[in-house]
């Protein structure tokens, strides 16, 4: 599934409740260059609404969302 | 654009051309100044929170909103006033020279984030203890951790000087925080005025 997206950094955010996933991702995305992609793995169901909202506001792009039972994976491209 | 086209239609006599041109120039410069003042007063990507409550739950909510907003790239200002001020006291600091009322407030109000109680179901402290252990179990950050995080994320904190004075708190007994300012209502209003979001908690 994710073969077509080249991931430059993986962030394990499992078990972290709100607001930690977006707090960590907003910091983590600064570690990659513009155009690079991070894969954020979370177990917070609220993230399904939160990540797109965060991406829209911060000007980054979610390329793909992968949900397998409790695990949600976001592929986020740094845009700004 | 609107001004120009409207004015062009209104020029029936050749002799009045110069006068009309001057009028247009005046209007354009007037519009320009209006536009400038408008762009100055338009809200910035900023959130201003008033933390009035001294309850654990409400303080936690305000800190979650504050750090979340910072994560979303917003400029964040928290104004701690009234019952919110004791949250920012440092447990380890002792100051002398307080009058009777100051001492009384000092002992009766929570000394820092660790002593803050729930607004509901406190049950003489039992509820708060249970909530704290539940928060730990569910990985929810404590007030202490949230404050540290807020500091890391450049959340600015203002403390109401009047509340401090009223309750007899001294500046020396407040926590060490990188972006801490003691101020009055005007400073907060200046920030709130050009914030997109303002909250009272």
């Amino acid at each position: 599934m994710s073969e077509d997206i080249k991931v430059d950094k993986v962030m394990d955010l499992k078990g972290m409740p709100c607001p930690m996933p977006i707090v960590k991702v907003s910091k983590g995305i600064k570690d990659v260059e513009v155009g690079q992609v991070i894969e954020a793995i979370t177990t917070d169901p609220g993230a399904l609404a939160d990540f797109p909202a965060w991406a829209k506001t911060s000007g980054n792009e979610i390329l793909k969302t992968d949900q397998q039972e409790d695990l949600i994976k976001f592929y986020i491209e740094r845009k700004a | 654009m609107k001004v120009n086209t409207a004015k062009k239609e209104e020029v029936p006599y050749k002799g009045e051309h110069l006068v009309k041109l001057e009028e247009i120039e005046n209007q354009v410069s007037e519009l320009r100044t209006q536009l400038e003042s408008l762009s100055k007063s338009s809200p910035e990507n900023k959130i201003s929170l008033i933390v009035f409550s001294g309850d654990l739950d409400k303080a936690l909510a305000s800190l979650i909103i504050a750090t979340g907003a910072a994560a979303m790239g917003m400029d964040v200002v928290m104004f701690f006033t009234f019952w919110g001020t004791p949250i920012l006291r440092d447990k380890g600091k002792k100051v002398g020279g307080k009058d009777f009322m100051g001492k009384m407030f000092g002992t009766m109000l929570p000394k820092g984030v660790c002593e803050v109680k729930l607004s509901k179901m406190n049950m003489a402290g039992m509820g708060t203890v249970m909530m704290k252990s539940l928060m730990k179990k569910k990985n929810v950050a404590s007030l202490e951790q949230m404050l540290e995080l807020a500091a890391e994320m450049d959340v600015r904190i203002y403390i109401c000087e009047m509340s401090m004075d009223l309750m007899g708190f001294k500046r020396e007994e407040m926590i060490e925080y990188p972006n801490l300012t003691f101020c009055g209502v005007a400073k907060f209003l200046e920030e709130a005025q050009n914030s997109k979001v303002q909250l009272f908690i």
Side-chain angles (χ1 to χ4, degrees):
Chain A
M1 281 291 275
S2 62
E3 281 90 54
D4 46 339
I5 299 174
K6 187 184 162 277
V7 175
D8 298 282
K9 182 186 162 88
V10 180
M11 294 190 77
D12 182 3
L13 309 168
K14 292 195 278 283
M16 286 181 189
C18 174
M20 297 319 283
I22 61 157
V23 166
K24 295 276 183 197
V25 158
S26 70
K27 279 186 195 168
I29 203 151
K30 289 186 182 126
D31 296 340
V32 299
E33 306 289 325
V34 174
Q36 288 188 320
V37 175
I38 58 171
E39 178 185 343
I41 309 162
T42 168
T43 47
D44 174 23
L48 282 172
D50 268 15
F51 271 66
W54 166 80
K56 196 180 157 196
T57 319
S58 62
N60 296 293
E61 193 188 339
I62 295 179
L63 304 173
K64 200 163 84 117
T65 309
D66 219 353
Q67 192 179 5
Q68 298 157 346
E69 286 170 39
D70 292 341
L71 273 191
I72 309 159
K73 289 181 187 174
F74 294 99
Y75 297 89
I76 310 156
E77 183 183 334
R78 181 175 175 185
K79 285 278 184 184
Chain B
M1 282 301 278
K2 231 178 186 176
V3 177
N4 282 339
T5 48
K7 279 292 159 189
K8 262 178 196 163
E9 285 161 13
E10 274 177 34
V11 186
Y13 306 111
K14 278 188 173 176
E16 284 183 5
H17 257 149
L18 275 177
V19 187
K20 293 282 180 191
L21 198 68
E22 206 173 298
E23 246 176 60
I24 292 167
E25 274 172 359
N26 284 344
Q27 278 183 338
V28 167
S29 72
E30 205 175 289
L31 278 173
R32 207 167 273 157
T33 41
Q34 272 179 8
L35 201 72
E36 263 170 36
S37 69
L38 254 178
S39 61
K40 260 181 211 161
S41 62
S42 67
E44 293 162 23
N45 191 20
K46 179 159 72 178
I47 175 170
S48 298
L49 298 112
I50 302 176
V51 187
F52 181 90
S53 166
D55 300 321
L56 185 144
D57 34 29
K58 290 175 190 167
L60 185 68
S62 56
L63 278 162
I64 289 175
I65 296 170
T67 48
M72 292 180 84
M74 293 178 91
D75 189 12
V76 188
V77 175
M78 298 179 89
F79 182 68
F80 283 76
T81 184
F82 228 88
W83 306 120
T85 42
I87 299 173
L88 299 174
R89 291 167 81 201
D90 192 324
K91 203 181 176 188
K93 288 182 184 169
K94 275 189 182 154
V95 285
K98 287 192 183 183
D99 59 11
F100 175 69
M101 288 304 277
K103 275 181 193 158
M104 216 169 74
F105 267 113
T107 25
M108 286 176 75
L109 287 171
K111 197 165 185 188
V113 282
C114 303
E115 293 181 10
V116 174
K117 299 273 182 282
L118 280 177
S119 69
K120 282 196 170 80
M121 305 203 297
N122 182 38
M123 299 180 287
M126 248 172 56
T128 300
V129 171
M130 276 162 68
M131 180 59 83
K132 277 186 181 171
S133 73
L134 200 62
M135 278 165 65
K136 209 169 197 172
K137 199 177 144 200
K138 302 251 178 189
N139 266 327
V140 174
S142 67
L143 281 185
E144 223 170 348
Q145 291 165 325
M146 288 306 285
L147 262 179
E148 270 172 37
L149 192 65
E152 247 175 71
M153 302 186 83
D154 296 325
V155 169
R156 285 179 287 149
I157 289 185
Y158 290 140
I159 305 183
C160 171
E161 189 77 65
M162 191 274 265
S163 304
M164 298 248 305
D165 185 46
L166 196 64
M167 297 174 193
F169 298 150
K170 297 192 186 275
R171 287 186 178 197
E172 301 83 68
E173 66 182 299
M174 304 318 262
I175 54 163
E176 302 290 334
Y177 188 89
N179 266 311
L180 193 74
T181 314
F182 297 92
C183 69
V185 69
K187 188 69 204 161
F188 171 73
L189 286 172
E190 186 200 6
E191 300 282 1
Q193 212 170 25
N194 53 18
S195 296
K196 274 186 186 163
V197 186
Q198 300 105 6
L199 294 175
F200 183 97
I201 300 171

